[in-house]
Amino acid sequence: MILWNNLDKLTAYEELKNVKKVDLKEAMSGENGAKRVKQYNVCMAGGLKFNYAAKQVDDAVLEALSKLAKEAQLLEKYEELYNGAVINTGEKRLVLHQLTRGQLGNAVNADGVDKRTFYVEQQDKITAFANKVHSGEITNAAGDKFTTVVQIGIGGSDLGPRAMYMALENWAKVNNTFKMEAKFISNVDPDDAAAVLNGIDVEHSLFVLVSKSGTTLETLTNESFVKDALKNAGLEPSKHMVAVTSETSPLAKSDDYLAAFFMDDYIGGRFSSTSAVGGAVLSLAFGPEVFAAFLEGAAKADETAKNEDLLANPAMLDALIGVYERNVLGYQNTAVLPYSQALSRFPAHLQQLDMESNGKSVNRFGEPVDYATGPVIFGEPGTNGQHSFYQLLHQGTDIVPLQFVGFKKSQMERDVVIQDSTSQQKLCANVVAQIVAFACGKDDADRNKQFEGGRPSSIIVGEQLTPQALGALLSHFENKIMFQGFTWNVNSFDQEGVQLGKVLAKKVLAHETDGALKEYSDLLDI
């Protein structure tokens, strides 16, 4: 029997609070640190490893976290999710993003169809369409191949696919799988669409409109912007546009699109990179085989998340260490710091993924919770961040847990030796130095130069950022957030917090305002 209890009602949580805190500075100094780096290491999918030696944990804390995982029934709740239970209680929906990349459990039937079959059919449709575009079977009116694909979407229809595209762009070029350049239009600010359209050849561009409902205001506004640009160039918009939408939306069977690929209500936008939302643009940009490898990495990570042993389940382990930091140690923020320029937009995607999922103050039943839930997520790639906000991370009054990501090899494998080391070696040296500097600090008689240390971090390490590694990395964080939501007993799969602003914006545009809403509207000449 599955029990959905609040965190503060769990016996294991009370025990966790009483476990002796780890002195991280002492634990990571000298030979102690060396032993921890070797010991606190777990293999992930996609050739990745999760090292948590520099976290404020020891065997006693880990044992308490294992008890918490069992009492909170995290694995049983995960099993409920992938077997098709109504996990999204707020919207009374199934949660099926894992099913886009593999079958973890029983067949899931909804809307009168087997959902795994449905998702595979959409991927097959995208594969066939992308292959025809690449071969020149589908062309523009002049018979020329399309060279650019532009995704029009916002939120999860933009952040995830954009981050994944940027992560694999250079890899695809080096490995001769790069097919089409991709651009993204998301913001309703007209400067966004104008900048993209001014920088491409619209005659040779294919536009992917992503809107589940077919009514998203920002997306439809940008679609009109694009259609105007196509008409002004003497082109027929319907010959340059495809839709990713639901089968019941007004876009599904419209003659305004070359093709339509379908998604459904069981996959939230921020979890949709492995669905048709990411599949269309990534398959067009890199080829369906690359997207398939990306899905494979994610599927293997989903399987790893089923492991009953906490110390062999990196997503659950990462999640519970995060709960310990948030609810016992009292840390309010988490910085995501990839030492890979290819992952420069990955923190922005995780920002939405985490904060939209677990930024909740009521439990699954709409009752207020008396403990902290999701942290504030932010980040930038290293080493850029070191010359920006690391000052606060090292010497500020708040301790901010850190999640590093690093790779032994660069994607392009083009480098130069300066002062006896390559750029990649310098990059890796910096992340190693930062982990130890944050943990151990430095004593100095000059207080301005004093580093207190005791600042926790983990690192995910891989050989190289490949499609499989990226899929595994994405799945790791999706599952981490899921496990944290289960532990906090919140619904991680709705996002009511984004709705109020939309409603008020419509009132402003309809000039149905009074009070402060009217005054602010006048301030901006709306």
Side-chain angles (χ1 to χ4, degrees):
M1 179 179 172
I2 301 293
L3 300 175
W4 298 93
N5 291 319
N6 283 3
L7 174 64
D8 56 5
K9 301 301 181 185
L10 303 178
T11 301
Y13 175 58
E14 294 303 316
E15 293 179 6
L16 179 65
K17 290 194 291 186
N18 293 322
V19 176
K20 183 181 178 181
K21 309 297 188 294
V22 173
D23 183 332
L24 184 60
K25 185 172 183 178
E26 179 182 335
M28 284 297 292
S29 297
E31 283 303 309
N32 291 334
K35 290 177 183 177
R36 285 176 65 90
V37 174
K38 292 177 182 177
Q39 178 184 0
Y40 293 137
N41 216 27
V42 57
C43 289
M44 300 170 59
L48 303 173
K49 288 185 178 179
F50 175 59
N51 187 287
Y52 55 101
K55 286 291 191 180
Q56 281 175 271
V57 300
D58 58 12
D59 291 349
V61 173
L62 293 170
E63 183 179 352
L65 291 177
S66 184
K67 289 181 180 179
L68 180 61
K70 289 182 173 64
E71 188 179 356
Q73 299 177 291
L74 299 188
L75 284 182
E76 291 90 337
K77 289 169 183 174
Y78 181 34
E79 186 175 358
E80 283 277 289
L81 182 149
Y82 62 68
N83 281 328
V86 180
I87 295 295
N88 180 351
T89 50
E91 297 171 318
K92 297 179 174 58
R93 293 173 181 169
L94 289 66
V95 176
L96 300 181
H97 54 275
Q98 282 97 345
L99 204 58
T100 61
R101 54 243 197 179
Q103 186 86 46
L104 289 167
N106 302 329
V108 177
N109 291 284
D111 305 326
V113 299
D114 177 274
K115 296 308 294 186
R116 174 60 183 160
T117 300
F118 170 77
Y119 297 138
V120 171
E121 285 174 351
Q122 299 311 306
Q123 291 164 12
D124 289 345
K125 282 171 60 180
I126 290 169
T127 294
F129 182 82
N131 285 336
K132 288 178 180 178
V133 170
H134 298 152
S135 68
E137 187 174 340
I138 294 176
T139 65
N140 68 5
D144 299 332
K145 284 187 176 183
F146 291 109
T147 57
T148 303
V149 54
V150 181
Q151 179 118 320
I152 308 169
I154 196 165
S157 300
D158 168 72
L159 285 166
R162 187 195 295 249
M164 302 310 128
Y165 171 78
M166 293 175 68
L168 294 178
E169 182 180 7
N170 286 332
W171 181 91
K173 288 176 179 176
V174 169
N175 288 274
N176 298 316
T177 66
F178 188 81
K179 307 293 185 182
M180 301 170 69
E181 184 179 22
K183 299 289 185 179
F184 297 83
I185 298 173
S186 60
N187 200 330
V188 75
D189 182 340
D191 286 344
D192 187 17
V196 171
L197 292 168
N198 287 343
I200 62 173
D201 174 6
V202 293
E203 185 179 0
H204 295 90
S205 296
L206 190 62
F207 297 87
V208 180
L209 182 77
V210 183
S211 176
K212 186 185 299 182
S213 65
T215 61
T216 309
L217 179 63
E218 295 96 332
T219 301
L220 295 184
T221 301
N222 280 326
E223 180 191 27
S224 295
F225 209 114
V226 167
K227 284 183 174 179
D228 281 351
L230 289 165
K231 290 175 183 176
N232 290 339
L235 302 168
E236 170 52 49
S238 64
K239 303 300 183 184
H240 287 258
M241 303 193 78
V242 300
V244 177
T245 189
S246 67
E247 289 181 288
T248 57
S249 92
L251 311 180
K253 295 179 174 61
S254 171
D255 293 333
D256 290 342
Y257 307 98
L258 281 169
F261 310 113
F262 299 131
M263 52 177 165
D264 57 36
D265 286 333
Y266 310 122
I267 300 174
R270 58 195 178 278
F271 294 98
S272 65
S273 291
T274 54
S275 75
V277 174
V281 66
L282 296 176
S283 295
L284 285 164
F286 305 134
E289 296 79 11
V290 172
F291 184 66
F294 170 64
L295 294 181
E296 179 187 356
K300 288 182 177 178
D302 290 341
E303 284 287 346
T304 304
K306 295 167 65 176
N307 201 310
E308 294 182 3
D309 180 2
L310 177 65
L311 301 186
N313 188 328
M316 186 186 295
L317 179 59
D318 196 4
L320 288 176
I321 291 173
V323 169
Y324 179 61
E325 290 174 333
R326 187 78 175 101
N327 297 100
V328 178
L329 301 179
Y331 304 147
Q332 299 179 355
N333 310 288
T334 297
V336 179
L337 308 169
Y339 275 61
S340 165
Q341 186 61 28
L343 292 174
S344 61
R345 288 298 287 171
F346 198 70
H349 171 56
L350 294 187
Q351 193 173 56
Q352 183 198 17
L353 185 65
D354 200 313
M355 294 171 70
E356 198 168 82
S357 295
N358 291 335
K360 311 289 172 62
S361 57
V362 298
N363 67 13
R364 294 167 55 80
F365 310 108
E367 304 160 344
V369 297
D370 295 324
Y371 46 83
T373 58
V376 172
I377 304 294
F378 68 97
E380 281 288 325
T383 56
N384 295 27
Q386 292 178 202
H387 296 268
S388 175
F389 52 80
Y390 278 37
Q391 168 62 45
L392 183 148
L393 300 183
H394 276 293
Q395 293 183 307
T397 54
D398 290 314
I399 292 179
V400 179
L402 316 165
Q403 290 204 304
F404 293 101
V405 181
F407 298 93
K408 299 175 186 178
K409 294 166 58 179
S410 63
Q411 286 184 314
M412 303 192 79
E413 299 184 37
R414 178 179 177 182
D415 213 336
V416 62
V417 176
I418 297 178
Q419 296 179 356
D420 300 323
S421 62
T422 65
S423 298
Q424 185 67 20
Q425 288 171 328
K426 290 179 176 67
L427 180 70
C428 292
N430 270 278
V431 71
V432 166
Q434 291 296 330
I435 293 171
V436 175
F438 279 117
C440 298
K442 179 178 77 76
D443 293 326
D444 199 294
D446 183 346
R447 294 295 298 173
N448 289 309
K449 298 179 181 179
Q450 173 82 9
F451 290 76
E452 296 297 335
R455 315 231 163 185
S457 68
S458 63
I459 183 169
I460 294 173
V461 178
E463 190 70 23
Q464 186 183 49
L465 183 56
T466 63
Q468 291 91 339
L470 181 65
L473 191 66
L474 176 68
S475 169
H476 172 86
F477 283 104
E478 288 180 346
N479 291 324
K480 171 190 173 180
I481 289 161
M482 172 193 70
F483 284 131
Q484 287 186 331
F486 289 160
T487 307
W488 286 318
N489 198 29
V490 299
N491 179 10
S492 302
F493 304 105
D494 65 1
Q495 57 283 331
E496 293 301 327
V498 305
Q499 300 304 322
L500 179 58
K502 292 181 180 180
V503 172
L504 294 181
K506 288 181 180 179
K507 287 187 175 182
V508 172
L509 292 172
H511 300 289
E512 299 170 356
T513 59
D514 57 18
L517 203 61
K518 182 180 187 306
E519 294 304 318
Y520 279 117
S521 300
D522 292 345
L523 188 66
L524 287 166
D525 293 332
I526 299 171

